[in-house]
Amino acid sequence: MAKHTLSVLVENHAGVLSRVAGLFSRRGFNIDSLAVGVTENPDISRITIVVDGDDYTVEQVSKQLNKLIDVIKIKQLDRSESVSRELALIKVNATTTTRSEIIQIVEIFRAKIVDVSKTTLTIEISGGSDKVAALEDMLKQFGIKEIVRTGMIAIERGNRHIKANNDNEE
Amino acid sequence: MRLTGAQAVIKALEIEGVEYIFGYPGAAICPFYDALLDSGIKHILTRNEQGAVHAASGYARVTGKVGVCVATSGPGATNLITGIATAYMDSIPVVAITGQVSSELIGKDVFQEADITGATAPFCKNNYLVKKVQNLPRIMKEAFHIAGTGRPGPVLIDIPVDVQMKDFNFEYPETVDIRGYKPTYKGHALQIRKIAEAIGKAKAPVICAGGGIINANASGELVELAERCRIPVATTFMGIGSMPSRHELNLGMLGSHGVYPANYAVHNADLVIILGARVGDRAMGTARKIAEKAKIVHIDIDPAEIGKNIEATIPVVGDVRLILKDLLDIVAKGNVDKWNEAIQKIKREHPLKSGQESGQNWVKPQYLLTLLSEMTAEDDIITTEVGQNQIWAANYYNVRKPRTFISSGGMGTMGYGLPSSVGAKIGSQGQRVITVGGDGSFQMSMQELGTIKQYKLGIKMIIFNNSRLGMVRELQKKQYRGRYSQVFLDENPDFVKLVQAYGFKGERITVNSEVRGALERMLADDTPYLLECMVDPEEPTL
């Protein structure tokens, strides 16, 4: 099944996230990831949802989300017409012998080392899911202690943007 | 104007034109009940909060207005849940107001605390936990707007007791503007033209009329369309009353518990026009098969219903009444005479049962309901419980007007009939209210007999007593090889004596020949009356 990215503008109230998440579970929709944060307007939050499903499912998800009063607008983002990123923090085992090799890999991925200890390195990476997965794969050989990942966020390319109070998108 | 939160709620109810509310007090809603004493709003004290929400729902269905119920925090609020879910499934406008523990105690698991906004989110069109008293006027205004417009539904407002007591400067907003809620009413003109063309070309069209027709007050337009274009009509359960049951073009209820002519027409049509219906499994469980044969027109106010259960050839989102009005301006009859002849022949070949066979040993519900239809007026209201009694009433009672058949469709809530008849009686303009139940479902809400007594509501109660949970028994017979499990109610109370304890009249009949006299006695005056009818435990639903 294909993955679809939905960008959802919602009222920035307590309880909205639970309404959205609850809707997914009770309608039997599968969420791959969900990321939420406030927008340029502090009254409005944006939830980026990656849904796993066919066109019927995605249409139903959109329509059912639209029924929530706190949902202001929904747009399905076209993969090629948008930029998407996720962020991961990876804590990997590092010894004096492996440390420089890990740093090399981190540089190739244009990731960052954000913390270091005698036995570990913590790496920050942002990018598309594939890139994050590829780095994870490369670091496995050293022994990954912990991974923390955000959900995917996405924005449309060019001058298009989603506005809350205007029915016509530019 | 300086008001407390509680006074503000009452004031908002008055501004919204609320005359009656249904409820049950408790500690966390006491400021509201105190303020209520200074208001002209009439309060009906039910015997359980579930009775209050069902009554509000019955009231809403009969009047078309928003029904209001009130309960306290914790168990008071949780007792509303079944009724809220019932209203949600059937798209009934209800505003539920609950007390909540004091703001600073929320989340501490104090006495009678329950997260009711969390618990009811799946069954509410929207709900609110009021944190600031200043927000109350806006929230009250929004709640009535959301409950009563678009696809109607329940809205819950949870008000902590301290918010009810705080005073503030009350000002009620005149308008509502909710950016996430803008229902579409006007149908797309091009789509409506396509429908007219499809009707003009159709040789075998049929209309499926749902509860949306009743919510939109579109019965007049439905009948006009059917008559002018000679399109037979099958109703869903929720659509009962959208067209008079005995209208020549009304084929009756469709679906698994419906009648043959309605199902025949839908499965043999070349054009199925679905009006204000969600294509539920009980009505159109074979949606895919129907769509393979026919073009599907689907009109609904809720865009999420379009394409959910059936793929529509011509979908239109909007108010079904406005859309039908637009359609009636341009539509003309197709070449449908042959189809109508065939349908009328099917109808003649598959009449309803008379219920007169073997009526010497038992009361036949079919016979009783047919006879009752002859003895009631067109404005009289029927409410039902859930189970066999509901399907008998749906198929055999002659419903002549919209908003006179009140029953839990989508949720199938047992214990709905009696309390909804309380709301129906209060909302009616002196019409007769008759509630039809079974011995099982009647006992689920029979504490509301106390409400009927207190407010002197002349509700007529008919119980089809087969000492069984009849519909479950039938299911176990057909699908569980007759292994009957927990469906026996042979130790029922004496229902006649039970209502006598409340000071009501009642009588028990056991054979068909007693039916007419008993109904005459029951309908003679406007006092509460219970008629217990002994029904064959083997009596099938269909």
Side-chain angles (χ1 to χ4, degrees):
Chain A
M1 272 189 283
K3 301 214 189 299
H4 305 264
T5 309
L6 297 175
S7 195
V8 187
L9 294 183
V10 300
E11 299 287 347
N12 185 12
H13 303 153
V16 177
L17 186 61
S18 89
R19 276 176 219 271
V20 170
L23 186 138
F24 275 82
S25 67
R26 74 174 171 273
R27 297 254 175 208
F29 302 139
N30 290 321
I31 312 183
D32 244 40
S33 82
L34 184 151
V36 56
V38 72
T39 62
E40 67 283 0
N41 177 347
D43 293 338
I44 297 175
S45 294
R46 186 192 295 253
I47 307 181
T48 308
I49 304 169
V50 180
V51 192
D52 207 6
D54 51 17
D55 291 345
Y56 168 82
T57 308
V58 176
E59 188 186 324
Q60 268 296 306
V61 168
S62 300
K63 284 176 165 178
Q64 295 296 344
L65 280 173
N66 249 322
K67 281 176 75 168
L68 298 177
I69 308 290
D70 288 328
V71 169
I72 303 164
K73 199 165 215 179
I74 299 172
K75 185 156 192 208
Q76 189 178 345
L77 300 184
D78 190 304
R79 197 133 282 213
S80 59
E81 293 294 321
S82 57
V83 181
S84 62
R85 289 288 179 272
E86 56 183 83
L87 174 73
L89 296 171
I90 305 172
K91 187 174 285 183
V92 65
N93 290 326
T95 60
T96 42
T97 49
T98 59
R99 187 169 290 132
S100 60
E101 194 184 340
I102 293 171
I103 293 170
Q104 240 177 15
I105 292 169
V106 166
E107 275 169 8
I108 292 168
F109 277 86
R110 274 180 251 154
K112 261 200 288 190
I113 290 168
V114 291
D115 186 61
V116 60
S117 75
K118 281 180 190 147
T119 54
T120 62
L121 280 172
T122 301
I123 297 151
E124 172 196 315
I125 172 138
S126 83
S129 332
D130 297 353
K131 183 176 168 186
V132 177
L135 177 63
E136 183 191 337
D137 199 40
M138 286 304 291
L139 294 174
K140 264 188 193 149
Q141 51 182 314
F142 308 106
I144 293 173
K145 288 182 90 83
E146 205 173 8
I147 296 186
V148 187
R149 273 170 104 144
T150 66
M152 194 178 87
I153 55 169
I155 198 163
E156 286 177 282
R157 289 183 190 276
N159 68 355
R160 269 179 306 209
H161 62 289
I162 307 169
K163 267 203 207 161
N165 45 8
N166 186 351
D167 286 348
N168 306 311
E169 289 136 24
E170 290 169 26
Chain B
M1 178 177 18
R2 293 300 286 183
L3 292 182
T4 65
Q7 289 168 331
V9 174
I10 301 278
K11 190 80 198 155
L13 293 176
E14 288 170 355
I15 297 170
E16 293 294 339
V18 174
E19 290 176 80
Y20 288 95
I21 59 177
F22 305 87
Y24 206 103
I29 193 75
C30 264
F32 172 90
Y33 274 91
D34 186 67
L36 181 66
L37 289 173
D38 303 320
S39 164
I41 293 173
K42 293 178 243 354
H43 180 276
I44 305 298
L45 175 69
T46 54
R47 292 300 177 270
N48 179 307
E49 290 86 352
Q50 192 182 110
V53 58
H54 286 336
S57 147
Y59 178 88
R61 289 168 108 135
V62 163
T63 61
K65 296 190 227 163
V66 176
V68 179
C69 62
V70 184
T72 191
S73 64
T78 55
N79 275 348
L80 294 179
I81 293 176
T82 301
I84 290 172
T86 304
Y88 186 70
M89 280 291 256
D90 289 347
S91 310
I92 307 304
V94 169
V95 166
I97 296 166
T98 50
Q100 180 54 280
V101 301
S102 200
S103 303
E104 77 279 4
L105 298 174
I106 289 178
K108 307 277 194 298
D109 297 326
V110 297
F111 180 66
Q112 291 194 334
E113 181 187 357
D115 173 13
I116 197 63
T117 47
T120 56
F123 328 109
C124 276
K125 204 171 157 188
N126 199 22
N127 63 24
Y128 300 87
L129 170 60
V130 184
K131 291 184 173 158
K132 283 191 198 131
V133 70
Q134 290 80 2
N135 292 337
L136 252 178
R138 174 185 58 81
I139 287 173
M140 290 296 292
K141 180 86 186 172
E142 284 186 9
F144 275 85
H145 176 67
I146 291 169
T149 59
R151 177 181 184 173
V155 177
L156 180 135
I157 308 168
D158 195 26
I159 316 173
V161 66
D162 59 310
V163 174
Q164 293 174 50
M165 289 189 286
K166 229 170 249 155
D167 70 349
F168 73 116
N169 198 15
F170 176 85
E171 222 178 296
Y172 202 62
E174 294 203 339
T175 54
V176 206
D177 182 33
I178 309 166
R179 53 187 163 192
Y181 179 69
K182 306 259 192 258
T184 305
Y185 295 106
K186 184 110 180 85
H188 196 285
L190 182 68
Q191 294 293 87
I192 295 172
R193 216 173 312 142
K194 279 192 198 160
I195 299 175
E197 278 166 27
I199 290 175
K201 278 188 215 150
K203 294 200 168 59
V206 64
I207 291 171
C208 296
I213 295 280
I214 293 166
N215 272 338
N217 298 316
S219 290
E221 287 75 9
L222 166 71
V223 173
E224 199 186 330
L225 175 67
E227 286 177 352
R228 198 201 298 169
C229 299
R230 301 302 298 169
I231 307 175
V233 176
T235 69
T236 67
F237 180 80
M238 288 304 295
I240 292 173
S242 62
M243 185 182 212
S245 300
R246 303 289 184 262
H247 190 291
E248 55 153 340
L249 287 169
N250 191 338
L251 306 178
M253 181 167 77
L254 82 156
S256 53
H257 293 76
V259 294
Y260 184 81
N263 284 314
Y264 175 88
V266 170
H267 285 88
N268 290 279
D270 64 355
L271 177 67
V272 178
I273 304 163
I274 304 166
L275 303 177
R278 63 185 173 87
V279 194
D281 55 321
R282 244 188 179 195
M284 293 173 85
T286 53
R288 190 164 294 169
K289 254 167 89 183
I290 296 167
E292 273 171 16
K293 276 194 171 173
K295 269 192 186 164
I296 307 290
V297 170
H298 194 178
I299 300 175
D300 203 281
I301 197 155
D302 181 358
E305 292 304 343
I306 308 276
K308 187 177 89 178
N309 294 332
I310 198 164
E311 187 94 32
T313 330
I314 312 173
V316 193
V317 174
D319 179 281
V320 67
R321 182 163 163 270
L322 298 179
I323 293 169
L324 288 182
K325 270 179 177 283
D326 289 348
L327 180 64
L328 282 166
D329 287 341
I330 52 172
V331 77
K333 178 175 166 251
N335 185 10
V336 294
D337 294 347
K338 260 198 189 140
W339 166 247
N340 271 287
E341 271 169 40
I343 291 294
Q344 289 303 331
K345 184 161 172 273
I346 296 269
K347 219 177 144 177
R348 280 192 302 274
E349 285 167 1
H350 296 86
L352 291 170
K353 290 181 196 169
S354 71
Q356 276 164 326
E357 70 288 352
S358 72
Q360 57 273 29
N361 299 322
W362 302 97
V363 174
K364 302 296 269 187
Q366 302 85 347
Y367 173 72
L368 184 143
L369 288 159
T370 308
L371 200 54
L372 181 68
S373 302
E374 290 166 15
M375 298 166 78
T376 51
E378 59 175 19
D379 288 320
D380 290 353
I381 295 162
I382 290 282
T383 77
T384 85
E385 294 289 351
V386 164
Q388 292 186 298
N389 67 84
Q390 181 184 37
I391 304 304
W392 289 327
N395 287 330
Y396 287 89
Y397 184 74
N398 179 11
V399 183
R400 283 147 280 185
K401 279 191 160 182
R403 304 191 180 281
T404 63
F405 184 80
I406 312 298
S407 185
S408 165
M411 191 52 79
T413 305
M414 288 173 75
Y416 182 76
L418 194 63
S420 66
S421 69
V422 167
K425 186 69 186 170
I426 284 166
S428 75
Q429 316 269 327
Q431 290 124 282
R432 211 185 257 140
V433 175
I434 301 160
T435 181
V436 174
D439 49 311
S441 46
F442 180 78
Q443 292 186 75
M444 256 200 207
S445 280
M446 67 182 180
Q447 73 281 357
E448 299 306 333
L449 289 170
T451 313
I452 292 170
K453 178 169 163 55
Q454 182 170 351
Y455 298 95
K456 302 189 173 59
L457 305 172
I459 292 167
K460 310 298 179 183
M461 295 160 267
I462 296 174
I463 297 183
F464 293 126
N465 183 353
N466 53 7
S467 331
R468 298 288 181 275
L469 297 174
M471 202 172 243
V472 184
R473 187 204 71 90
E474 198 174 39
L475 177 74
Q476 291 175 348
K477 180 179 176 179
K478 286 182 184 159
Q479 290 184 21
Y480 296 84
R481 290 169 287 126
R483 283 161 54 86
Y484 296 126
S485 181
Q486 303 300 321
V487 290
F488 301 101
L489 294 174
D490 293 302
E491 298 303 320
N492 271 327
D494 181 329
F495 290 109
V496 175
K497 272 195 185 150
L498 180 80
V499 299
Q500 281 168 352
Y502 286 89
F504 307 160
K505 287 180 278 187
E507 129 175 53
R508 180 181 301 111
I509 55 173
T510 49
V511 289
N512 265 1
S513 58
E514 296 172 294
V515 169
R516 185 179 289 273
L519 288 179
E520 276 167 3
R521 285 186 288 280
M522 180 182 89
L523 299 173
D525 59 18
D526 195 31
T527 59
Y529 196 100
L530 182 133
L531 179 61
E532 181 185 2
C533 312
M534 304 314 287
V535 171
D536 185 353
E538 298 286 327
E539 186 68 41
T541 307
L542 295 173

